[in-house]
């Protein structure tokens, strides 16, 4: 465990899972989006996965399962976001649902 | 209409019945449209409510009308439950035949074929409506006679339960006609025909209860094969309610289908990398939503940027096909146009201190909707340009 890791969040904080982030909003939704790149290429982003998950491990699993590359991007407001190459939206959704994430909290965007 | 009725002779009555039945066929047709993935799109794809499910199932029925003809054969093959259902259906057909309209009745009856367990149960429960139908299901004439015999007995109950509308009219009419009507009522679904012409605002409530009353009375009387003495579950009753609601208001089917249609988005390509959404102004106007709001949603959802050109066309960066744009538009309608409570698209979008509300004009419900968020935008393209 490195120092960076410790700074990310205070374990003693009540709002560990970001549940009380916004007033009036229920649990944060998970957003799966797609973006077009040049040509036929696309990019899939997974945003809003709770802090209780280890994104690194999930990314590893994604990469292996979907046979694509990907990385984790640190966004100023939205925290860590997983980026994958290609249109993996459906696959990500299935993966998360099978892993026990409530399907209602997953928002698949795009066309 | 209601006041005239007693004056006319049975012939007119029959005509009406026929017409009404044709009505109930209509919705099938109207519903058939939405199923086709063709351009005129509507957004209630997923049957979320029982209401929708009924619609769906009604659709299937329409396709299965032909199958229904082989009724007898199927009956032999099906298990007990099915048989019971069948028994209930057959009298219905007979009743309609008596009044000269047979095919539509079949259309109504078909539902049972492909319904799930719940439906089956429901049907079973409804069976009490037809007295003594189980004994003979093959000979129409005999059936009619039986029904006729049963009818007078039921008549008493009805007049009490159905209250004035029903009873007054009845009295005024000829015995024969009353008889006929009873026939229809004894067979449950056949009722719609008779009832539709007296449809008032309060009619619905009365009717449902009346039906229950019939069921209860009949059950108390006979039907040993009804057997189970358990209580009805909520689901069963709910299905029953919707069945009857739709049976008696066929217009519910057709109206919803009609309203949801919008012109398909017309998509053109501009150059190699841009897409033009030409009729977005027209569509947003028809949805009664501000153009900016629609555009904002679409761009956020598709994860691109875009702009509006001189003739109010939306130029989207990236290549999109009509189907894709249509999907996004569909999602917009589900999220921001249709009322979640009553599915009506007659809604207003209001903004109150930075929160959008959808106010339904037909049911009056008010509900906050999510603000449009672009969310995370990955870095696409050259970094140099954005950094600068």
């Amino acid at each position: 465990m490195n120092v960076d890791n410790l700074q990310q969040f205070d374990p003693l904080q009540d709002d560990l899972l970001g549940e009380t982030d916004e007033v009036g909003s229920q649990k944060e939704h998970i957003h799966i989006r797609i973006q077009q790149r040049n040509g036929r290429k696309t990019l899939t982003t997974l945003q809003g996965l709770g802090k209780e998950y280890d994104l690194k491990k999930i990314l590893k699993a994604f990469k292996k399962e979907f046979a694509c590359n990907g990385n984790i991007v640190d966004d100023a407001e939205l925290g860590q976001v997983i980026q994958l190459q290609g249109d993996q939206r459906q696959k990500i959704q299935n993966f998360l649902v099978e892993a026990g994430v409530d399907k209602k909290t997953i928002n698949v965007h795009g066309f | 209409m209601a006041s005239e009725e007693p004056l006319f002779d049975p012939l007119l009555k029959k005509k009406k019945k026929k017409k009404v039945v044709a009505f109930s066929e209509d919705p099938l047709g109207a519903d058939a449209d939405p199923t086709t993935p063709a351009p005129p799109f509507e957004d209630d794809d997923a049957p979320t409510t029982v209401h929708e499910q009924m619609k769906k199932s009604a659709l299937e029925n329409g396709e299965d009308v032909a199958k229904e003809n082989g009724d007898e054969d199927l009956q032999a093959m099906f298990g007990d439950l099915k048989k019971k259902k069948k028994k209930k259906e057959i009298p219905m057909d007979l009743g309609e035949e008596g009044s000269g309209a047979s095919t539509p009745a079949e259309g109504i009856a078909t539902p049972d074929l492909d319904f799930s367990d719940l439906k089956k149960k429901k049907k079973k429960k409804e069976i009490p409506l037809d007295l003594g139908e189980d004994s003979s299901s093959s000979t129409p004439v005999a059936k009619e006679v039986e029904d006729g015999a049963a009818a007078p007995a039921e008549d008493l109950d009805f007049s009490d339960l159905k209250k004035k509308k029903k009873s007054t009219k009845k009295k005024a009419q000829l015995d024969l006609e009353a008889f006929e009507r009873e026939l229809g009522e004894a067979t449950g679904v056949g009722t719609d025909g008779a009832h539709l012409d007296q449809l008032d605002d309060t009619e619905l409530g009365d009717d449902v209860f009346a039906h229950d009353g019939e069921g209860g009375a009949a059950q108390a009387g006979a039907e040993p094969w009804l057997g189970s003495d358990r209580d009805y579950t909520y689901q069963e009753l709910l299905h029953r309610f919707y069945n009857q609601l739709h049976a008696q208001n066929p217009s519910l089917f057709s109206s919803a289908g009609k309203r949801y249609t919008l012109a398909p988005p017309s998509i053109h390509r501009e150059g190699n990398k841009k897409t033009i959404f030409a009729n977005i102004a027209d569509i947003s106007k028809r949805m009664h939503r501000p153009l900016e709001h629609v555009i904002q949603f679409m761009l956020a959802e598709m994860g691109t940027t875009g702009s509006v050109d001189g003739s109010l066309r939306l130029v989207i960066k990236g290549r999109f096909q009509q189907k894709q744009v249509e999907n996004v538009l569909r999602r917009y309608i589900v999220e921001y146009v249709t009322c979640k409570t009553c599915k009506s698209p007659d809604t207003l979008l209001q903004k109150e201190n930075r929160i959008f509300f959808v106010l339904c004009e037909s049911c009056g419900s008010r509900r906050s909707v999510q603000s449009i968020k672009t969310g995370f935008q990955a870095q696409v393209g050259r970094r140099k340009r954005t950094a600068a």
Side-chain angles (χ1 to χ4, degrees):
Chain A
M1 198 184 266
N2 57 18
V3 183
D4 281 351
N5 216 353
L6 280 178
Q7 284 169 346
Q8 267 177 18
F9 57 87
D10 180 6
L12 298 178
Q13 206 181 335
D14 283 337
D15 187 20
L16 186 61
L17 305 181
E19 279 174 7
T20 54
D21 219 357
E22 272 176 73
V23 183
S25 78
Q26 327 86 319
K27 228 179 162 188
E28 270 304 289
H29 279 258
I30 297 169
H31 298 276
I32 305 173
R33 292 197 175 78
I34 190 168
Q35 270 182 279
Q36 284 195 337
R37 287 179 55 213
N38 39 359
R40 285 172 50 101
K41 292 173 184 169
T42 50
L43 199 70
T44 310
T45 61
L46 170 64
Q47 169 209 324
L49 207 53
K51 289 208 176 83
E52 67 267 33
Y53 299 105
D54 186 343
L55 284 196
K56 251 182 156 176
K57 280 186 181 162
I58 289 178
L59 176 65
K60 193 127 190 169
F62 278 165
K63 283 162 77 169
K64 192 153 192 172
E65 182 127 342
F66 310 151
C68 67
N69 205 351
N71 69 333
I72 297 177
V73 180
D74 269 315
D75 190 86
E77 298 136 41
L78 304 165
Q80 292 190 312
V81 178
I82 292 185
Q83 273 187 19
L84 294 174
Q85 288 178 1
D87 183 359
Q88 317 288 353
R89 288 175 298 162
Q90 221 46 55
K91 292 183 199 163
I92 291 179
Q93 192 186 15
N94 293 341
F95 184 96
L96 291 181
V97 170
E98 269 169 40
V101 180
D102 187 2
K103 198 172 180 185
K104 281 174 205 141
T105 66
I106 303 177
N107 250 341
V108 180
H109 298 268
F111 31 82
Chain B
M1 172 166 152
S3 58
E4 293 172 347
E5 208 176 90
L7 300 177
F8 287 124
D9 60 348
L11 270 183
L12 185 122
K13 189 86 216 288
K14 273 175 192 166
K15 254 189 218 157
K16 254 185 196 157
K17 240 184 200 167
K18 248 188 216 167
K19 198 182 87 197
V20 168
V21 175
F23 248 122
S24 61
E25 250 187 350
D26 219 354
L28 295 181
D31 264 333
D33 290 339
T35 46
T36 59
F41 68 97
E42 36 79 49
D43 65 320
D44 49 349
D45 274 336
T48 46
T49 66
V50 180
H51 182 87
E52 308 270 336
Q53 281 165 10
M54 299 295 300
K55 272 194 193 171
K56 273 273 158 70
S57 51
L59 257 183
E60 287 157 22
N61 306 338
E63 290 156 13
D64 280 348
V65 170
K67 227 189 267 173
E68 180 64 15
N69 293 335
D71 207 354
E72 304 287 347
D73 306 351
L74 287 178
Q75 194 176 332
M77 288 155 66
F78 284 143
D80 283 352
L81 269 178
K82 281 267 163 87
K83 252 181 208 161
K84 276 176 196 166
K85 279 186 320 175
K86 280 297 139 63
K87 263 161 207 159
K88 195 216 134 202
E89 280 167 41
I90 290 163
M92 270 181 354
D93 291 9
L94 298 176
E96 290 295 335
E97 271 164 35
S99 62
S102 57
T103 44
E106 276 170 11
I108 295 171
T110 30
D112 312 344
L113 274 181
D114 35 344
F115 275 8
S116 54
D117 289 343
L118 266 180
K119 283 276 163 61
K120 278 187 210 158
K121 278 184 212 151
K122 205 223 92 205
K123 282 290 131 87
K124 202 171 48 175
K125 184 193 59 194
E126 245 182 19
I127 291 169
L129 291 184
D130 40 312
L131 281 177
E133 303 296 24
D134 51 332
S135 54
S136 68
S137 57
S138 54
T139 58
V141 187
K143 181 79 343 184
E144 255 182 69
V145 173
E146 264 184 37
D147 278 348
E154 278 177 18
D155 202 6
L156 294 175
D157 302 345
F158 287 158
S159 50
D160 288 342
L161 289 165
K162 292 253 160 92
K163 283 157 207 164
K164 51 197 168 150
K165 249 181 285 152
K166 191 83 213 272
S167 52
T168 51
K169 231 165 274 155
K170 261 258 180 71
K171 252 123 221 183
Q173 275 159 4
L174 297 173
D175 280 358
L176 225 177
E177 222 181 302
F179 220 66
E180 232 178 59
R181 181 173 291 193
E182 286 308 332
L183 225 172
E185 257 152 24
T187 57
V189 185
T191 332
D192 359 329
H195 277 297
L196 252 172
D197 20 33
Q198 328 163 359
L199 247 180
D200 288 1
D201 34 0
T202 55
E203 172 73 1
L204 231 169
D206 282 355
D207 241 340
V208 171
F209 287 123
H211 271 295
D212 282 345
E214 284 169 28
Q219 195 177 32
E223 310 308 358
W225 43 269
L226 227 202
S228 60
D229 46 356
R230 71 204 166 80
D231 283 338
Y232 306 137
T233 67
Y234 174 76
Q235 281 297 327
E236 288 168 355
L237 290 177
L238 192 64
H239 274 284
R240 176 187 163 81
F241 165 74
Y242 275 108
N243 263 350
Q244 279 171 2
L245 179 69
H246 285 298
Q248 273 148 41
N249 303 293
S251 52
L252 280 183
F253 276 142
S254 44
S255 63
K258 247 182 252 156
R259 280 214 199 135
Y260 279 66
T261 51
L262 272 181
S266 81
I267 302 297
H268 312 286
R269 178 71 58 73
E270 183 185 78
N272 200 17
K273 290 187 172 171
K274 282 180 186 164
T275 310
I276 293 186
F277 184 174
N279 58 351
I280 189 169
D282 178 44
I283 286 178
S284 65
K285 205 197 282 173
R286 282 210 218 171
M287 293 191 298
H288 305 291
R289 290 293 172 274
L291 181 62
E292 294 76 35
H293 191 255
V294 181
I295 289 176
Q296 198 192 349
F297 176 84
M298 297 208 52
L299 293 181
E301 193 73 354
M302 296 194 283
T304 59
T305 54
S307 56
V308 182
D309 73 358
S311 45
L312 282 185
R313 298 182 306 175
L314 176 63
V315 182
I316 310 168
K317 194 170 166 238
R319 279 184 262 185
F320 298 95
Q321 277 149 12
Q322 191 199 325
K323 216 174 97 196
Q324 298 173 316
V325 176
E326 200 177 300
N327 270 336
V328 178
L329 211 50
R330 231 179 259 273
R331 223 173 295 155
Y332 179 83
I333 292 173
V334 171
E335 186 69 39
Y336 294 99
V337 180
T338 55
C339 168
K340 293 273 199 247
T341 315
C342 67
K343 303 272 167 201
S344 155
D346 294 334
T347 53
L348 292 176
L349 190 66
Q350 298 172 328
K351 193 175 189 182
E352 263 172 49
N353 26 347
R354 297 195 296 172
I355 300 171
F356 279 107
F357 289 92
V358 165
L359 177 69
C360 178
E361 295 211 283
S362 61
C363 76
S365 79
R366 192 160 168 278
R367 172 176 177 283
S368 70
V369 290
Q370 291 170 11
S371 59
I372 298 170
K373 281 186 205 144
T374 315
F376 175 74
Q377 286 294 312
Q379 173 72 53
V380 177
R382 276 177 290 168
R383 312 209 163 212
K384 222 193 217 165
R385 197 185 287 164
T386 50

